Every structure is written in structure tokens, then in C-alpha cells.
Amino acid sequence: MFPWIIEEVGGGWMFGQLTVAGGVHRVNGENMSARKIQIGQLWKKKETGDTFLVTRVYNEALSTFVVLRKSGSEGEDLVRVKAERTAEGQGLPGFVPAVDDD
């Protein structure tokens, strides 16, 4: 379990639980969105289980796009995906954040 923090804020006290920042959140074993998609992150394609590396993140109008490269396949074409905005953060349709299964 994570430790609790008690902090004085604006004349009152704030209670909260410390969590691991920027981690992947799971609910009932299901991967959730990443808080923010960043270059160097690994994402796994749901259909095939292939792992992709985020090589570029950019904004176009009001949308965020992510360029992915299949891990270990420098010669293959890059994949461009429009990021989704969710309450938990950002996500890629058809992909889940790749995490090591300990």
C-alpha cells in the first residue's frame, strides 16, 4: 500500500495518498491510458501483441498525433495514430501501454 500524505493548504489540511507518478494504472487487470504520451514510451498493439516505440508526438489543430515504429523493425513504415483524450489522460486506439509483467 502507498503511504499517506497530510499537507497544510490555504489554512486547511489536505489528505491524500501518494502514488507512483506517471505509471500505468490498472483496473481489474485492464491497462488504462497513460497520463501523457511521451517519446520513448512503448505501446503494445491489442490485435497482434507487437510492441511499438513512440518516436514523435505533435499537435495538429486541436488534435494530438503520435508516430510509432515497430520495435526491432527499423525498415518498416511508421504508423501515425491520433491520440484519444480520456478522463485518465491520453490513449492510443487499438494500443495499450506496454509494461513488464513481474
Side-chain angles (χ1 to χ4, degrees):
M1 199 70 190
F2 295 107
W4 287 87
I5 184 169
I6 302 171
E7 184 178 355
E8 187 173 3
V9 179
W13 290 92
M14 184 169 138
F15 299 89
Q17 187 176 12
L18 292 177
T19 58
V20 179
V24 175
H25 306 284
R26 290 178 182 243
V27 175
N28 297 328
E30 183 71 25
N31 286 330
M32 301 301 288
S33 303
R35 175 163 275 168
K36 182 176 180 183
I37 299 172
Q38 298 177 340
I39 294 173
Q41 287 179 336
L42 295 174
W43 288 75
K44 192 170 283 196
K45 192 168 189 173
K46 289 181 186 178
E47 294 175 355
T48 62
D50 294 334
T51 303
F52 288 79
L53 174 71
V54 175
T55 59
R56 184 172 179 212
V57 179
Y58 64 95
N59 293 320
E60 196 171 282
L62 298 176
S63 300
T64 300
F65 288 91
V66 178
V67 178
L68 303 167
R69 178 180 55 80
K70 188 174 176 182
S71 292
S73 301
E74 289 79 18
E76 289 191 29
D77 291 337
L78 299 174
V79 178
R80 181 177 172 233
V81 180
K82 182 178 176 182
E84 298 175 329
R85 293 186 182 122
T86 65
E88 295 85 22
Q90 294 178 320
L92 297 175
F95 292 85
V96 293
V99 294
D100 294 329
D101 294 326
D102 295 330

